[in-house]
Amino acid sequence: MANVRTRMAPSPTGYFHVGSARTALFSWLFARQHGGEFVLRIEDTDHERSTQASVDVILDSMAWLGLDYDIGPIYQSHNLPRHTQAAADLLASGHAYRCYATTEEIGRVREEANARGVRSWKYTGYGCVIDEAEQARRAEQGLPSVVRFRVPREGDSVTFTDLVYGDQVIDPNEIEDFVLLRQDGSPLYMLSVVCDDVDEAITHILRGQDHLSNTPKQVLLYQAMGAPVPQFAHTALIMAPDGSKLSKRKHGEVVSITTYRDKGFLPEAMVNFMALVGYSAGDGDTREMFNRAELIERFDIARVGRANAKFTFDANNPKQWTDAKAQSLNAEWLRTMTLEELMPHLRPWLERAGLWDDAFEGERAEWFRATIDLIRQRFWTLEDFVTQGAAYLGDRVVFDAAAVKKNLAKDPRLPVLLAGLADRFEAAEFEHDALEAALRGFAEEQGVGAGLLINGMRTALTGQSVGPSAFEVCVAVGRERTLHRLRNLPALAE
RNA sequence: GGCCCCAUAGUCCAACGGUUAGGAUGCAGGCCUUUCAAGCCUGAGGCACGGGUUCAACUCCCGUUGGGGCUACCA
């Protein structure tokens, strides 16, 4: 397909919605796989809500996800003169007209119609609210008016083919003569998007299914403007667990892309997850992990689902703050991506936590890589490296209360035993098998189970009750810190 | 209310006229073992309902029910 150009047109409302991010991803994938271009347009015409900070959230989110654009960001507010000019042109060509009926008058007529049992009343032009004479009188007086699009009522059905939902046929009588320009002369969304999409030569519009019903109006506008109608592809929506619309106001941080970044998600995992919601490669292929390049290669707009999907999360359970599958996918990416790919994501976290040491790239590089590779097997987010991981990478051990209770406070002999163990370790070669032999020998001498010492040691060294093999932990933590921590247990308050 | 869209396990996706309806996630159990939000194995759990069409329907058609969207001088 030649000259493909897609766009993402978010409005800066203070956060970047996961649903928007997903359609952005699909638009980006579509452009990339066709060798086309991807445009970012900021729909900032609502001055009340638009701020630079809001715009930055969008730009940062796009950058984090790795969705680069070839054109933009274009600010829709800059195109205002063009939009009003378009309305003037439509007025001149007879595709639009000034309407002097007030909102109140229209509302009244609408209610009366409903009361009379009219099934769906629509504003369809002069005469349906105020007659021609009244219209002319108000025009003469220079009373305020809006500009409405004249929906062709005699013509055929409005038709277009949606790449996801298929052929659409709409009776024009279902479409009201919608407003193009407000009383104050400012353009409305319906006019602005079409103008911009025409001017930017967008060939394929991928967007949320909530726009499907508006598309016929836009098709009419393209035709009236004498512009080619682009291809449309509407994608199903992401809903909340209860099936309602996923919104920041109702559902909080889980809807915002930056939350995932700030909670230690990998952008690769987030992209992968968003692609999996409402989409599948099919062909009986059960594989689920894909990087961006693979998605570009395999993505097929026709296979995007038509049914809304639900996010599963529980605001009251920290472990389920977002969709469980998203979390598990992130964990899988975390432990399977190459260390070279992981490091650029990890380093900023370590630096912010004061855990970074330049020696990690120098004389301690080998140890560092081995330790990261060891601990990431049980980690779920980048954040885990600076919480649980701190005991391995730095000198600070954060003790988990439950772990202390379970493994250290349960036996009053442990402080003495672990100190004794430290003496044995001091005399032993500091290496996995030798440490294990030393510990088992010591346990036997003392007449205690090896497990008591092993679990106590794990918590003494890491503050956790879970983790890698305890002797691997010793090696990772190193001789000095291991001996020190075994001899200096935390206060065992209970 | 009107118009439009959708409907496979709790959730996300496969199967598209003939399969014991498959995978992932989550859940339960087991193994490993010194631990586990790790790994391996096992298990429970689904075609919304009713009519057609057909030798045969998850798959096609119609209806019902349920869910969603749009219906603004919001985007």
Side-chain angles (χ1 to χ4, degrees), chain A residues 74 230 346 362 438 494:
Chain A
I74 293 172
L346 178 57
E494 182 54 39

Side-chain angles (χ1 to χ4, degrees), chain A residues 25 29 267-276 279-282 285-299 329 332-333 336:
Chain A
L25 171 63
L29 288 174
E268 286 78 4
M270 198 60 197
V271 163
N272 193 165
F273 174 66
M274 293 191 300
L276 248 36
Y279 176 73
S280 150
D285 188 348
T286 58
R287 189 179 152 196
E288 296 203 318
M289 280 186 80
F290 300 102
N291 62 31
R292 293 187 191 82
E294 291 166 326
L295 288 172
I296 289 170
E297 189 186 328
R298 291 160 166 258
F299 181 69
L329 205 51
E332 196 168 350
W333 267 93
T336 59

